[in-house]
């Protein structure tokens, strides 16, 4: 069993550390700083931390003003409030002018758990991916989160980073090497590819073991940058393995699965199956039962991979 | 310190000439927002030609005062002012709303020198101005951030989120000016969605408040002087204005909110806005 670490915990620690060498970093939160862990930065740098109260639209546009002035704002709240409630502010005030605002949203996906469907955001990647200029990143674990935060500080432009409430099993160690726009092929494989993000990278690795037991050699790719997506890696999966399963803790509409399907359909059609939330809202429950309920477990991925294999064999 | 009679006259003359520029631009473009451009001319003239510290030849000068035009549809007025101030050649004004122009239908900071923030979606500007004011304070810079708002901004909830935050953070370096022309796209504001009592609303949110005639340049200038005084809280000037000011056919009419003058109306406007005397100021 791998260690369990929180991506939001890694965010809070990393941001507070980077605040030292980057005086231009300012941080905003909307009364959820204890939950998002942005409060860690606030404790270290109270002058550069702004609690905006429950006013997300104002928070995002205020951050835009800060960026227009020359600061580097990090803005945190839950994924649904950042990407949903303040979507138009992100479009008009941030992306339209290509402003350097980093949105780090926690509580993405159904593993939010007991708070229920109102708080389980399964639409944010779709909402952010459609915006011109926006970079969208979903780290696979706490170690990758740390590197993602370091990388986006060096990157200029609007960025959306999706983190989770629950602790994730660790896929990497401190030696992982994240680069914006570059997928990581975690495991080689010839028969089928699993392209995953976030928590689902771990499920994909377990699915690979299940498939191996049946003599199927599955490739596992962590596509942590969903936009700009690593097109070459998607096409390599299509060409070299002939079929793809995508896996995300997000709606199958508009997220990673859509992004992969767009490329595959246009450039190298092969069978694709999308594991994700099937156009449904979430509900209360413990995270693991919710993953089971919505068909987001390793065995769901493995079954989809077998279907893809059958389809590509028939093709 | 108030303006001298001569200074008022000079600013009035600039305003008169800019009104012609605005009507010409809009007529050439064949679309755009006449009413809300004409109503805030004196406000922008007093800001750019009297109160703001800015360098037209160095648009990104870090210590400049900033302006966020939250009512972005008033862009033609701002463009006319910026061209006159020297941010870009006046010839650009004839390319308003044309493909590839630096002058978009609504302000775009990435395309137009002198635009401090992009706008167009009503209700977002005051928040951005708050961000700039917070940043300036963090850097201990003695600069001021201005935001010009319209009636529509008063209806957007986000404006009041920003008003709350500006007071909470004690942004004494922030001045809002409301171009209160009382007419919006669908009709009189009081019929569409009443926003009064405006003064009481701002005061309740913790702002210093002053009400003026927004077409009286001496008043506008005095009010802007007042907002720039040392204070622990943000200031708002509620400028009572006339939509379409200066154009007899458009004054007070919702039908000219988002409509440009026709060719015949342009001719009429040129006559109505012609100089009253021979004297022409630089």
């Amino acid at each position: 069993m791998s260690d369990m670490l929180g991506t939001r915990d890694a965010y809070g620690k990393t941001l507070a550390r980077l605040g030292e060498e980057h005086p231009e970093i300012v941080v905003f939160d909307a009364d959820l700083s204890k939950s998002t862990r942005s409060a860690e930065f606030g404790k270290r740098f109270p002058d550069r931390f702004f609690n905006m109260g429950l006013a997300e639209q104002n928070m995002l546009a205020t951050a835009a003003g800060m960026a227009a002035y020359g600061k580097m704002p990090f803005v945190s709240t839950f994924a649904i409030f950042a990407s949903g409630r303040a979507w138009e502010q992100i479009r008009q005030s941030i992306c339209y002018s290509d402003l350097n605002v980093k949105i780090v949203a926690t509580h993405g996906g159904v593993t939010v758990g007991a708070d229920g469907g109102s708080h389980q955001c399964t639409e944010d990647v779709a909402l952010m991916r459609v915006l011109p200029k926006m970079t969208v990143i979903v780290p696979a674990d706490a170690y990758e989160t740390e590197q993602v935060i370091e990388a986006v500080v060096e990157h200029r432009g609007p960025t959306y980073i999706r983190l989770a409430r629950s602790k994730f099993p660790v896929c990497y160690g401190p030696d992982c090497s994240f680069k914006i726009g570059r997928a990581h092929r975690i495991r080689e494989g010839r028969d089928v590819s699993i392209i995953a993000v976030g928590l689902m990278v771990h499920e994909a690795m377990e699915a690979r073991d299940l498939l191996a037991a049946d003599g199927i050699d599955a490739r596992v790719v962590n596509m942590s940058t969903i936009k700009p997506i690593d097109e070459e890696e998607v096409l390599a999966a299509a060409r070299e393995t002939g079929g793809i399963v995508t896996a995300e803790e997000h709606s199958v509409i508009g997220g990673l699965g859509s992004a992969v399907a767009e490329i595959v359909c246009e450039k190298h059609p092969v069978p694709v199956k999308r594991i994700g939330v099937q156009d449904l809202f979430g509900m209360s429950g413990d995270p693991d039962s919710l993953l089971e309920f919505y068909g987001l477990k390793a065995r769901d991925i493995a079954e989809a991979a077998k279907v893809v294999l059958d389809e590509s064999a028939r093709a | 310190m108030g303006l001298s009679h001569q200074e008022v006259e000079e600013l009035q003359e600039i305003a008169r000439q800019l009104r012609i520029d605005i009507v010409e631009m809009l007529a050439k473009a064949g679309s755009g927002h006449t009413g809300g451009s004409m109503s805030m001319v004196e406000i922008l003239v007093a800001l750019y030609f009297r109160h703001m510290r800015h360098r037209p030849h160095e648009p990104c000068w870090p210590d400049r005062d900033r302006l966020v035009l939250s009512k972005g549809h008033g862009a033609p007025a701002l463009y006319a002012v910026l061209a006159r101030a020297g941010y870009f050649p006046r010839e650009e004004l004839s390319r308003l709303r044309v493909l590839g122009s630096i002058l978009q239908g609504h302000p775009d900071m990435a395309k137009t020198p002198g635009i401090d923030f992009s706008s167009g979606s009503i209700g977002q500007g005051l928040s951005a101005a708050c961000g700039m004011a917070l940043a300036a304070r963090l850097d201990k810079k003695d600069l001021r951030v201005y935001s010009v708002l319209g009636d529509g901004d008063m209806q957007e909830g986000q404006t009041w989120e920003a008003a709350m935050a500006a007071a909470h953070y004690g942004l004494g370096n922030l001045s809002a000016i409301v171009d209160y022309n009382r007419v919006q796209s669908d009709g009189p504001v009081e019929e569409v969605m009443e926003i009064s009592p405006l003064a009481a609303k701002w005061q309740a949110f913790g702002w210093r408040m002053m009400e003026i005639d927004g077409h009286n340049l001496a008043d506008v200038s005095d009010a802007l002087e007042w907002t720039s005084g040392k204070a622990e809280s943000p200031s708002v000037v509620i400028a009572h204005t006339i939509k379409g000011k200066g154009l007899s056919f458009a004054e007070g009419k919702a039908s000219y909110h988002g409509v440009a003058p026709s060719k015949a109306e342009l001719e009429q406007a040129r006559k109505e806005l012609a100089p009253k005397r021979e004297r022409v100021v630089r």
Side-chain angles (χ1 to χ4, degrees), chain A residues 51 58 71 88-89 93 97, chain B residues 118 121 124 127 139 158 169:
Chain A
N51 201 324
N58 180 51
K71 301 286 179 193
E88 205 224 352
Q89 284 72 18
S93 285
S97 301
Chain B
S118 305
S121 173
Q124 304 194 16
S127 303
D139 284 359
Q158 187 188 340
Y169 282 105

Side-chain angles (χ1 to χ4, degrees), chain A residues 109-117 119-120 165-166 249 283-287 290:
Chain A
V110 297
T111 50
V112 166
D115 274 349
H119 283 53
Q120 294 166 4
R165 175 183 174 276
S166 299
E249 198 193 339
M283 63 178 88
S284 289
D286 72 85
L290 287 162

Side-chain angles (χ1 to χ4, degrees), chain A residues 90-99 131-134 158:
Chain A
I90 296 172
R91 180 187 188 272
Q92 307 281 5
S93 285
I94 298 173
C95 291
Y96 187 62
S97 301
D98 197 14
L99 289 174
L131 291 169
K133 309 283 187 191
M134 184 63 99

Side-chain angles (χ1 to χ4, degrees), chain B residues 206-226:
Chain B
W207 286 55
R208 303 163 73 222
M209 190 282 305
M210 182 182 267
E211 272 186 281
I212 57 158
D213 170 356
H215 297 305
N216 181 322
L217 271 160
D219 282 7
V220 174
S221 183
D222 284 350
L224 292 174
E225 188 74 35
W226 167 80

Side-chain angles (χ1 to χ4, degrees), chain A residues 26 47-48 50-52 55-58 61-62 64-66 68-69 71 88-89 92-93 96-97 99, chain B residues 66 108-109 116-118 121 124 127-128 130-132 134-136 138-139 141 143 158 161-162 165 169:
Chain A
V26 291
D47 293 348
R48 286 150 57 195
F50 303 96
N51 201 324
M52 302 306 281
E56 294 79 8
Q57 302 172 37
N58 180 51
T62 301
M66 276 269 193
Y69 179 96
K71 301 286 179 193
E88 205 224 352
Q89 284 72 18
Q92 307 281 5
S93 285
Y96 187 62
S97 301
L99 289 174
Chain B
R66 267 95 169 149
D108 183 341
M109 63 186 284
D116 289 316
F117 199 77
S118 305
S121 173
Q124 304 194 16
S127 303
C130 283
M132 294 175 186
L134 277 171
L138 208 53
D139 284 359
K141 296 240 189 208
L143 62 82
Q158 187 188 340
E161 293 182 0
Y169 282 105

